[in-house]
Amino acid sequence: MEIPKGTVVCERFVSRALEGNLPGDPHVRNLYLYLPPGYDRGSDRYPVAWCLSGFTGRGRMLLNDNPWSPGIADRMDALLADGRAKPIILALPDCFTHVGGSQYVNSPALGRYEDHVIEELVPFVDSRLRTLPAPEHRGVIGKSSGGYGALVLGMRHPEMFGALVSHSGDLLFEYCYKRDFGPALRAIRTGGGVAAWLQKFRSSPRKRHEDIMALNIIAMAAAYSPNVGAPPAFCDFPFDLETGAIDENVWKRWLAWDPLYLVDRHAAGLKKLRLLYLDCGREDELYLELGARCFVRRLRELGIAHEYDEFEDGHMNVSYRMDVSLPKLSHALAR
Amino acid sequence: MEIPKGTVVCERFVSRALEGNLPGDPHVRNLYLYLPPGYDRGSDRYPVAWCLSGFTGRGRMLLNDNPWSPGIADRMDALLADGRAKPIILALPDCFTHVGGSQYVNSPALGRYEDHVIEELVPFVDSRLRTLPAPEHRGVIGKSSGGYGALVLGMRHPEMFGALVSHSGDLLFEYCYKRDFGPALRAIRTGGGVAAWLQKFRSSPRKRHEDIMALNIIAMAAAYSPNVGAPPAFCDFPFDLETGAIDENVWKRWLAWDPLYLVDRHAAGLKKLRLLYLDCGREDELYLELGARCFVRRLRELGIAHEYDEFEDGHMNVSYRMDVSLPKLSHALAR
Amino acid sequence: MEIPKGTVVCERFVSRALEGNLPGDPHVRNLYLYLPPGYDRGSDRYPVAWCLSGFTGRGRMLLNDNPWSPGIADRMDALLADGRAKPIILALPDCFTHVGGSQYVNSPALGRYEDHVIEELVPFVDSRLRTLPAPEHRGVIGKSSGGYGALVLGMRHPEMFGALVSHSGDLLFEYCYKRDFGPALRAIRTGGGVAAWLQKFRSSPRKRHEDIMALNIIAMAAAYSPNVGAPPAFCDFPFDLETGAIDENVWKRWLAWDPLYLVDRHAAGLKKLRLLYLDCGREDELYLELGARCFVRRLRELGIAHEYDEFEDGHMNVSYRMDVSLPKLSHALAR
Amino acid sequence: MEIPKGTVVCERFVSRALEGNLPGDPHVRNLYLYLPPGYDRGSDRYPVAWCLSGFTGRGRMLLNDNPWSPGIADRMDALLADGRAKPIILALPDCFTHVGGSQYVNSPALGRYEDHVIEELVPFVDSRLRTLPAPEHRGVIGKSSGGYGALVLGMRHPEMFGALVSHSGDLLFEYCYKRDFGPALRAIRTGGGVAAWLQKFRSSPRKRHEDIMALNIIAMAAAYSPNVGAPPAFCDFPFDLETGAIDENVWKRWLAWDPLYLVDRHAAGLKKLRLLYLDCGREDELYLELGARCFVRRLRELGIAHEYDEFEDGHMNVSYRMDVSLPKLSHALAR
């Protein structure tokens, strides 16, 4: 029994926003696009969901196959086939960097990834595909760092997005990042400092879990507290690399990027959303359910409509939750 | 800077060998195929490497993307671009089952997966694509259960394969499976028996590591000690499900499938191979480096030419080792 | 509110059985003894429970303090004070060796520890203290390797013991030891072989969990498959130190010491016991509950009376279970 | 070969300071005392080292036996026998509470443990034993929470102590406690709140590692942010028990007890110490080496003489380091 299948296409995009970025990451990127079944046969226009991948990922990975956990294209096909979702275009950008990610923000240490998505890719897709090119038909969704990206881009660009989904998004930095300062410090120290550590990390064919933990802290510093005068990671660390002592000034720069503290200023925009959906696992290894609860509490206080689910699981292997969010999102964005 | 890219195509194959299989798994399967750059422009014939995925996997997963560990197609493109490998076709069959895999053998509990590959897919590919349809130009390669499949298919079908690569393949069952009997027994017992456990496993959207460990033992029993009269897994267990006591008769049925004990009888065929390459990590979580060492020792005693590498890593995230094996394989299979 | 306290005394014992032992361990040992409250004021005679410590332990450790898990003397005081137990003497021998233990057996690689307990210490205590010097008033109890010792000494010496308690005792060697062959092989191999590994282990002030795991396999080999011609551990290993291949001849020597296979021959003696009590945790890290279930099944088949409890815990921190066993034991041994 | 042995005596002390404590913990406590070999035969006066046990411990546990890691009395005997240390009295107080410890401070939620040690036990020992009753002959030493106690009592009572040793002492609360807020919150939440959780913890015969982690946070709150109006733990938590949001006011009360921030005000007293010795493991599971480095850096800035060692180990099983500290301490305190 075959079900109708959408089409996945790959566009090669030359980015002005990323050109000449400091670390020398590519400025030509693949943009994978999922077109729903029937797209090629009709003249309908479709909503677009911008799907942001997590740390160490890029858009194409959302298509990765697994017999028990299909990629986002197969998942969307199945949701459409059984009538749970409505047809939408999925856009899967690549915002990967030499340190594993960009948090979808503009940073002199990494590149202008926010601009890349908002100013380049969104108009590009609207010009190339039969989209419904209006905020009420454009959504943003992601998991983990992608959920963070969805929150930040969604809050900062109410003119662009009418629906926002954050699965286990980075929130309450106090918990989700600080607990890795110690391990990161140790890894970097043992590795001979940031430069030596990064060099070794890059030359090693196999990336270990502990290394990714340290890399994550470096990447967050590059995103939240960049310092173009501090190669090779071009960032300030929020802790002393020898004693761990918190540098409160740098830490404040990080907190300025915590969605929990951004929300107040963006309340008006968030109120206009057709959908604001968050979820988290109750055993999230990064304790992100705490951030989600804080955020949801603040949403309530600010009178911002939202939906929130907690699942009996953790941070990994939770893409099955898109079977909940993609239907919601596709309905919210429908004409 | 672009490099030439091969083409990935997906063939839908209706299998007679799998039709009517006992557990009711699909008998129509996707066969993904990688055609090297230039295939569509010329009339050359190419060697074929049959690439077998590991437990819980299927051929398509070998294409999965990861920025630091590209899929097999991207990897092959890169190896070709820098001249390390020679052009070959890669064939990625799907031998997944309701219990996570088939070990690429014929089993009444699962289906005739050996026949599916050997009698159906190989001729199909040779008839459809411009292959070099001779054993000296046909190889088999895989990792973990796929490395096991490569060993077993390679040994049992010297008329089919001229080169064999096993990355961390299942060997020395005494170590690689027995240590999971206890955990599997506990999981199944706590879950209320095999039937209840399987039902719960299937209905759960998220598969946990402990569950996969138990499933693995069930799958191996279905492959090595099938019993069509024992639903729902249609197998005998090599241990008492209450006390763990080893059932030596069932265990002997398992050992009959251990490549370590199959090798003697297949020595003549193995000697004809153009390439027999094995590797393993020194910290393999399943202690497969012990099996590899035993196997290599026996190869030496039998005078069978081979190459063997040990790496400073474990069982997971080792696909970078294909940058070693694919060049060897492509040269061995070349005209 | 004070409760009556027993007295702990320490006897210094010069052992003929241990004198000149091959590894040069001390033959003068401390025997700690607990005398129940009132012992010094009356002329009553008391039963004696021989309490065997686990691997890496010695009798004195059973007295170790912990606010939530008192030592055996404090525990006995409390059980007596609230009437749950009857007064008994506790004898706590030291059968520690250079490899962490002796399994309470005679081994040319370690010393004659079975003789030390049975032929030396039991008569010594009966001659020095007001004991009830008859098997029906003498018991043996232990946990882990001490539980093993209780099983082995109890089975082999029905003329000595009238009650036997084994908490999480070593049983079903197939599970409890074999799973550590791989880790032990790796540790020893990485450490440069048995001699180098042992030397490093001894000189290191801190013993790590992985080291104890490897040491355990060495100690079991010294106990079960001694070889006085093979310094420094004076034993044969049941597996090849390079490939892990099981040496079935050596393994058979081990199995000859598995209580599971000793039980048949000692059935007559076991039937005479006033108490045969076993327990285990359902999540025992060494999977000893499987051995316990096998053993209990065999006891049932042989018609040997026994009691068996399973607890919802693991292998460690389970001395609270003595609050169950000591009352049973003291009543069984009472006049 | 016997070495001279000191004597261990146990004094039963009725404490006014602890009488009527809020949680109802005992106010009659055992004070274990080690008297060096020769104490009973001469008329010499001896220095006294106050030895503080860690969380979940009490003085008597410092005497616990282990063949590879002897108790403090045996250790002292050995250090004296080979001339590394000079004779001192060791005093081992019991400051255990219903939540596992007291941090050796006065807290209305727990009791006046600082007063108990300083105002009651020190004078008691000086009146009962042949001590050198002057600060230059009195030291304080401990590990973990005992190391914390040594730092706090040492800093706050320069009139009492002339030498201070802190092994892996609690420092830099930002790291050593905050990382357990998430786990503690989860445990308490799953357990049905503080009262239900505490009740279940108490009634469970077996204390698991995760439970101790949660208990630790409760105990620290009882020590650092007591609130007699908030039964059953009589404390304020520095985080919201639902969202984890940090309560900065409560957190400030904690930080007021961080030795790192106490040190400035006590610099004068610390400069008078004959010995200020700290150590830590480079892989301390609580990241206490970071606190130690911060503290040592501050000592240097303040011009306070000290010694500091880092070891290649973690937080557990490090009592071998007393073979370094006890000799230093005994020499510093000697006449």
Side-chain angles (χ1 to χ4, degrees):
Chain A
M1 256 300 298
E2 289 298 290
I3 61 170
K5 298 239 166 218
T7 311
V8 172
V9 297
C10 174
E11 295 283 346
R12 198 93 177 127
F13 187 89
V14 181
S15 167
R16 283 287 171 86
L18 302 184
E19 199 174 2
N21 66 74
L22 194 56
D25 283 315
H27 71 287
V28 184
R29 299 280 174 138
N30 290 324
L31 176 66
Y32 282 81
L33 294 156
Y34 166 86
L35 311 177
Y39 179 91
D40 49 337
R41 288 190 314 273
S43 58
D44 285 355
R45 291 189 160 270
Y46 296 89
V48 182
W50 288 84
C51 305
L52 310 183
S53 49
F55 188 62
T56 75
R58 57 185 175 193
R60 185 182 172 191
M61 285 177 71
L62 296 171
L63 300 164
N64 279 356
D65 183 50
N66 183 303
W68 286 311
S69 183
I72 198 168
D74 289 356
R75 202 177 283 278
M76 199 66 211
D77 288 340
L79 292 169
L80 289 168
D82 69 5
R84 276 186 287 167
K86 296 191 148 195
I88 51 175
I89 291 167
L90 306 176
L92 319 176
D94 169 7
C95 296
F96 187 75
T97 72
H98 76 122
V99 286
S102 64
Q103 296 299 93
Y104 303 92
V105 302
N106 293 338
S107 158
L110 296 171
R112 294 191 290 117
Y113 287 89
E114 179 175 3
D115 293 351
H116 174 54
V117 173
I118 298 298
E119 297 178 7
E120 294 184 335
L121 295 183
V122 170
F124 171 76
V125 165
D126 284 339
S127 70
R128 280 299 196 74
L129 297 177
R130 296 199 314 278
T131 66
L132 289 164
E136 60 266 32
H137 304 299
R138 194 184 294 115
V140 62
I141 175 174
K143 186 224 149 186
S144 196
S145 281
Y148 173 83
L151 286 169
V152 166
L153 296 188
M155 283 196 282
R156 289 166 60 90
H157 298 283
E159 79 287 1
M160 296 297 274
F161 300 108
L164 191 170
V165 173
S166 173
H167 296 286
S168 310
D170 296 12
L171 273 164
L172 192 58
F173 292 1
E174 183 78 29
Y175 281 77
C176 72
Y177 298 142
K178 234 181 203 176
R179 63 183 294 111
D180 287 342
F181 287 3
L185 179 155
R186 276 190 196 157
I188 292 169
R189 199 168 176 273
T190 310
V194 177
W197 186 90
L198 267 178
Q199 189 167 21
K200 187 162 174 239
F201 175 82
R202 273 166 208 160
S203 66
S204 166
R206 191 163 162 257
K207 318 301 187 191
R208 297 175 312 144
H209 177 70
E210 313 84 90
D211 294 332
I212 297 298
M213 199 186 286
L215 186 76
N216 186 50
I217 295 302
I218 296 174
M220 296 308 116
Y224 304 142
S225 52
N227 178 347
V228 298
F234 305 110
C235 64
D236 293 326
F237 285 91
F239 53 89
D240 185 284
L241 287 166
E242 167 79 15
T243 65
I246 303 296
D247 183 324
E248 293 294 345
N249 288 323
V250 178
W251 181 237
K252 265 179 207 144
R253 294 170 66 194
W254 283 45
L255 291 184
W257 283 102
D258 191 333
L260 195 53
Y261 307 113
L262 288 171
V263 62
D264 286 42
R265 140 178 25 149
H266 298 292
L270 288 169
K271 285 183 181 173
K272 289 190 222 141
L273 290 175
R274 291 173 162 207
L275 174 73
L276 172 51
Y277 177 64
L278 297 99
D279 73 16
C280 204
R282 224 162 252 155
E283 308 271 314
D284 189 284
E285 285 83 353
L286 313 174
Y287 294 87
L288 291 169
E289 86 274 21
L290 303 182
R293 288 179 199 155
C294 285
F295 193 77
V296 160
R297 184 173 286 188
R298 193 70 194 125
L299 291 177
R300 213 178 299 128
E301 290 165 355
L302 293 167
I304 299 168
H306 63 276
E307 296 178 51
Y308 176 56
D309 283 334
E310 271 186 22
F311 291 84
E312 294 294 338
D313 53 32
H315 195 69
M316 307 311 291
N317 304 321
V318 296
S319 50
Y320 74 89
R321 294 194 212 140
M322 286 195 289
D323 289 351
V324 176
S325 62
L326 287 175
K328 282 182 197 291
L329 186 61
S330 69
H331 280 90
L333 297 179
R335 206 194 297 249
Chain B
M1 256 302 298
E2 289 298 291
I3 61 171
K5 297 241 165 217
T7 310
V8 172
V9 297
C10 174
E11 295 283 346
R12 197 95 177 126
F13 187 87
V14 181
S15 167
R16 282 287 170 88
L18 301 184
E19 198 173 3
N21 67 74
L22 194 56
D25 283 316
H27 72 287
V28 185
R29 300 278 174 136
N30 289 325
L31 175 67
Y32 282 81
L33 293 157
Y34 167 87
L35 311 177
Y39 178 91
D40 50 336
R41 288 189 315 273
S43 58
D44 284 357
R45 291 189 160 270
Y46 296 89
V48 182
W50 288 83
C51 306
L52 309 183
S53 49
F55 188 62
T56 76
R58 57 185 176 194
R60 186 182 171 190
M61 286 176 72
L62 296 172
L63 300 164
N64 279 356
D65 183 50
N66 183 303
W68 285 312
S69 183
I72 198 168
D74 289 356
R75 203 175 282 278
M76 200 67 212
D77 288 340
L79 292 169
L80 289 168
D82 70 5
R84 276 186 286 166
K86 296 193 148 191
I88 51 173
I89 292 167
L90 305 176
L92 319 176
D94 169 7
C95 296
F96 188 73
T97 71
H98 76 121
V99 286
S102 64
Q103 297 298 92
Y104 302 92
V105 303
N106 293 338
S107 158
L110 295 171
R112 294 191 291 115
Y113 286 90
E114 180 175 3
D115 292 352
H116 174 54
V117 173
I118 299 297
E119 298 179 6
E120 293 184 333
L121 295 183
V122 170
F124 171 76
V125 164
D126 283 340
S127 70
R128 281 298 198 76
L129 297 177
R130 296 198 314 279
T131 65
L132 288 163
E136 59 268 32
H137 305 300
R138 194 184 293 117
V140 62
I141 175 174
K143 187 222 148 187
S144 196
S145 282
Y148 173 82
L151 286 169
V152 166
L153 295 189
M155 283 196 283
R156 288 166 61 90
H157 297 282
E159 80 288 1
M160 295 296 276
F161 299 108
L164 191 170
V165 173
S166 173
H167 295 287
S168 310
D170 296 11
L171 274 164
L172 192 58
F173 292 1
E174 182 79 29
Y175 281 77
C176 71
Y177 299 142
K178 234 182 202 175
R179 65 183 294 110
D180 287 343
F181 287 3
L185 179 155
R186 276 190 196 157
I188 292 169
R189 199 168 175 274
T190 310
V194 176
W197 185 90
L198 268 178
Q199 188 167 21
K200 188 164 173 235
F201 176 82
R202 274 167 207 158
S203 66
S204 166
R206 192 165 162 256
K207 317 302 187 191
R208 298 174 311 145
H209 176 70
E210 312 86 89
D211 295 332
I212 297 297
M213 197 186 286
L215 186 76
N216 186 50
I217 296 303
I218 296 174
M220 296 308 116
Y224 304 142
S225 52
N227 177 348
V228 298
F234 305 110
C235 63
D236 293 325
F237 285 90
F239 52 89
D240 184 284
L241 288 167
E242 168 78 16
T243 64
I246 303 297
D247 183 324
E248 294 294 344
N249 287 324
V250 178
W251 181 237
K252 265 179 208 145
R253 293 170 66 193
W254 284 45
L255 291 184
W257 284 101
D258 191 333
L260 196 54
Y261 306 113
L262 288 171
V263 63
D264 286 42
R265 149 178 16 155
H266 298 291
L270 288 169
K271 285 182 180 174
K272 290 190 223 143
L273 289 174
R274 292 173 161 208
L275 173 73
L276 171 50
Y277 177 64
L278 295 100
D279 73 15
C280 204
R282 224 163 252 156
E283 308 270 314
D284 189 284
E285 286 82 353
L286 313 175
Y287 293 86
L288 290 169
E289 85 275 20
L290 303 181
R293 288 179 198 155
C294 286
F295 192 77
V296 160
R297 183 173 286 188
R298 193 71 195 124
L299 291 177
R300 212 178 300 128
E301 290 165 355
L302 293 167
I304 298 168
H306 63 276
E307 296 179 50
Y308 175 57
D309 282 333
E310 271 187 23
F311 291 84
E312 294 293 338
D313 53 31
H315 195 70
M316 307 312 291
N317 303 321
V318 296
S319 49
Y320 73 89
R321 295 194 210 139
M322 286 195 290
D323 288 351
V324 176
S325 61
L326 287 174
K328 283 183 198 289
L329 185 61
S330 69
H331 281 88
L333 296 178
R335 208 194 296 248
Chain C
M1 255 301 300
E2 291 297 291
I3 61 170
K5 298 242 167 217
T7 310
V8 172
V9 297
C10 174
E11 295 283 346
R12 197 93 177 130
F13 187 87
V14 181
S15 167
R16 283 286 170 88
L18 301 184
E19 199 173 3
N21 66 74
L22 195 54
D25 283 316
H27 72 288
V28 184
R29 300 280 174 137
N30 289 324
L31 175 67
Y32 282 81
L33 294 156
Y34 167 86
L35 311 177
Y39 179 92
D40 51 336
R41 290 191 312 274
S43 58
D44 284 355
R45 290 188 160 271
Y46 297 89
V48 182
W50 288 83
C51 306
L52 309 183
S53 49
F55 188 63
T56 76
R58 57 185 176 194
R60 185 181 172 191
M61 284 176 72
L62 296 171
L63 300 165
N64 279 357
D65 184 49
N66 182 304
W68 285 312
S69 183
I72 199 169
D74 289 356
R75 203 175 282 279
M76 200 67 212
D77 287 340
L79 292 169
L80 289 169
D82 69 6
R84 276 186 285 168
K86 296 192 148 193
I88 52 175
I89 291 168
L90 305 176
L92 319 176
D94 169 7
C95 296
F96 187 74
T97 72
H98 76 123
V99 286
S102 64
Q103 298 297 94
Y104 302 93
V105 303
N106 292 339
S107 157
L110 296 171
R112 294 193 289 116
Y113 287 89
E114 179 175 2
D115 292 351
H116 173 53
V117 173
I118 299 297
E119 297 178 7
E120 294 185 334
L121 295 184
V122 170
F124 172 76
V125 164
D126 283 339
S127 71
R128 280 298 197 75
L129 297 177
R130 295 199 314 278
T131 66
L132 288 162
E136 61 266 34
H137 305 298
R138 193 183 294 116
V140 61
I141 176 175
K143 186 223 147 187
S144 195
S145 282
Y148 173 83
L151 286 170
V152 166
L153 296 188
M155 283 196 282
R156 290 166 60 90
H157 298 283
E159 80 286 3
M160 295 296 274
F161 299 108
L164 191 170
V165 173
S166 172
H167 295 286
S168 310
D170 296 11
L171 272 163
L172 192 57
F173 292 1
E174 181 79 29
Y175 281 78
C176 72
Y177 298 141
K178 232 181 204 175
R179 63 182 296 110
D180 287 343
F181 286 4
L185 179 155
R186 276 190 196 157
I188 292 168
R189 199 168 177 274
T190 310
V194 177
W197 185 90
L198 267 178
Q199 188 167 20
K200 190 166 171 233
F201 176 81
R202 273 167 208 157
S203 66
S204 167
R206 191 164 162 256
K207 317 303 187 192
R208 298 174 311 145
H209 177 71
E210 312 85 90
D211 294 332
I212 297 298
M213 198 186 286
L215 187 77
N216 186 49
I217 296 303
I218 296 174
M220 296 308 117
Y224 304 142
S225 52
N227 177 347
V228 297
F234 304 109
C235 63
D236 294 325
F237 285 91
F239 52 88
D240 185 284
L241 287 167
E242 168 78 15
T243 65
I246 303 297
D247 183 325
E248 294 294 345
N249 288 324
V250 178
W251 181 237
K252 264 179 206 143
R253 293 170 66 193
W254 283 46
L255 291 184
W257 283 102
D258 191 332
L260 196 53
Y261 306 113
L262 288 171
V263 62
D264 286 42
R265 144 178 19 151
H266 297 292
L270 288 168
K271 285 184 181 174
K272 289 190 222 140
L273 289 174
R274 290 172 162 209
L275 173 73
L276 171 51
Y277 177 64
L278 296 100
D279 71 17
C280 203
R282 223 163 254 156
E283 309 270 314
D284 189 284
E285 285 82 353
L286 313 175
Y287 293 87
L288 291 169
E289 86 275 21
L290 302 182
R293 287 179 198 154
C294 285
F295 193 77
V296 160
R297 183 173 286 188
R298 193 72 195 124
L299 291 176
R300 213 178 299 128
E301 289 165 355
L302 294 167
I304 299 168
H306 62 277
E307 295 179 51
Y308 175 57
D309 282 333
E310 271 186 22
F311 290 84
E312 295 293 339
D313 53 30
H315 195 69
M316 308 311 292
N317 303 320
V318 296
S319 50
Y320 74 89
R321 295 193 211 139
M322 286 196 290
D323 288 351
V324 176
S325 61
L326 288 174
K328 282 182 198 290
L329 186 61
S330 69
H331 280 89
L333 297 178
R335 205 192 301 246
Chain D
M1 255 301 298
E2 290 297 290
I3 61 171
K5 298 240 165 218
T7 310
V8 172
V9 297
C10 174
E11 295 284 345
R12 197 94 178 129
F13 186 88
V14 181
S15 167
R16 282 289 170 87
L18 301 184
E19 198 173 4
N21 65 74
L22 195 54
D25 283 317
H27 72 288
V28 185
R29 299 279 174 138
N30 289 325
L31 176 66
Y32 282 81
L33 294 156
Y34 166 86
L35 311 177
Y39 179 91
D40 50 337
R41 288 191 312 275
S43 59
D44 284 355
R45 290 189 160 269
Y46 296 90
V48 182
W50 288 84
C51 306
L52 310 183
S53 49
F55 188 62
T56 75
R58 57 184 176 194
R60 186 183 171 190
M61 284 176 72
L62 296 172
L63 299 165
N64 280 355
D65 183 49
N66 182 305
W68 285 312
S69 183
I72 199 168
D74 288 356
R75 203 175 282 277
M76 200 67 213
D77 288 339
L79 292 169
L80 289 168
D82 70 6
R84 276 186 287 167
K86 296 192 148 193
I88 52 174
I89 291 167
L90 305 176
L92 319 176
D94 169 7
C95 296
F96 187 73
T97 71
H98 76 122
V99 286
S102 64
Q103 297 297 93
Y104 302 92
V105 303
N106 292 339
S107 159
L110 295 171
R112 294 192 290 115
Y113 287 89
E114 179 175 4
D115 292 352
H116 173 54
V117 173
I118 299 297
E119 297 179 7
E120 294 185 334
L121 295 183
V122 169
F124 171 77
V125 164
D126 283 340
S127 71
R128 280 297 198 76
L129 297 176
R130 296 199 314 277
T131 66
L132 289 163
E136 60 267 31
H137 305 299
R138 192 184 295 117
V140 62
I141 176 175
K143 187 224 148 187
S144 195
S145 282
Y148 173 83
L151 285 170
V152 166
L153 296 189
M155 284 197 281
R156 290 166 60 89
H157 298 283
E159 80 286 2
M160 295 296 275
F161 300 109
L164 191 170
V165 173
S166 173
H167 296 286
S168 310
D170 296 11
L171 273 164
L172 192 56
F173 292 1
E174 183 79 28
Y175 281 77
C176 71
Y177 299 142
K178 233 182 204 176
R179 64 182 296 109
D180 287 342
F181 287 3
L185 179 155
R186 275 191 197 156
I188 291 169
R189 198 168 177 275
T190 310
V194 177
W197 186 89
L198 268 177
Q199 188 167 21
K200 185 161 175 238
F201 175 82
R202 273 166 207 159
S203 66
S204 166
R206 191 165 161 256
K207 317 303 187 190
R208 297 174 313 144
H209 177 70
E210 312 86 88
D211 295 333
I212 297 297
M213 197 186 287
L215 186 76
N216 186 50
I217 295 303
I218 296 174
M220 296 309 116
Y224 304 142
S225 52
N227 178 348
V228 298
F234 305 110
C235 63
D236 294 326
F237 285 91
F239 53 88
D240 184 284
L241 287 167
E242 168 78 15
T243 65
I246 303 296
D247 183 324
E248 294 294 344
N249 288 324
V250 178
W251 181 238
K252 265 180 208 144
R253 294 169 66 193
W254 283 46
L255 291 184
W257 284 101
D258 190 332
L260 195 53
Y261 307 113
L262 287 172
V263 62
D264 285 43
R265 143 177 23 150
H266 298 292
L270 288 169
K271 286 183 180 172
K272 289 190 223 142
L273 289 174
R274 291 171 162 210
L275 173 74
L276 171 51
Y277 177 64
L278 296 100
D279 72 17
C280 203
R282 225 163 251 157
E283 309 268 316
D284 189 284
E285 285 82 353
L286 312 175
Y287 293 86
L288 290 169
E289 87 274 20
L290 303 181
R293 289 179 198 155
C294 285
F295 193 77
V296 160
R297 183 172 286 188
R298 193 72 196 124
L299 291 177
R300 213 178 300 127
E301 289 164 356
L302 293 167
I304 299 168
H306 62 277
E307 296 178 51
Y308 175 56
D309 282 333
E310 272 186 23
F311 291 85
E312 295 293 340
D313 53 30
H315 195 69
M316 308 311 291
N317 303 321
V318 296
S319 49
Y320 75 88
R321 295 194 209 138
M322 286 195 290
D323 288 351
V324 176
S325 62
L326 287 174
K328 282 182 198 289
L329 186 61
S330 69
H331 281 89
L333 296 178
R335 207 195 298 248

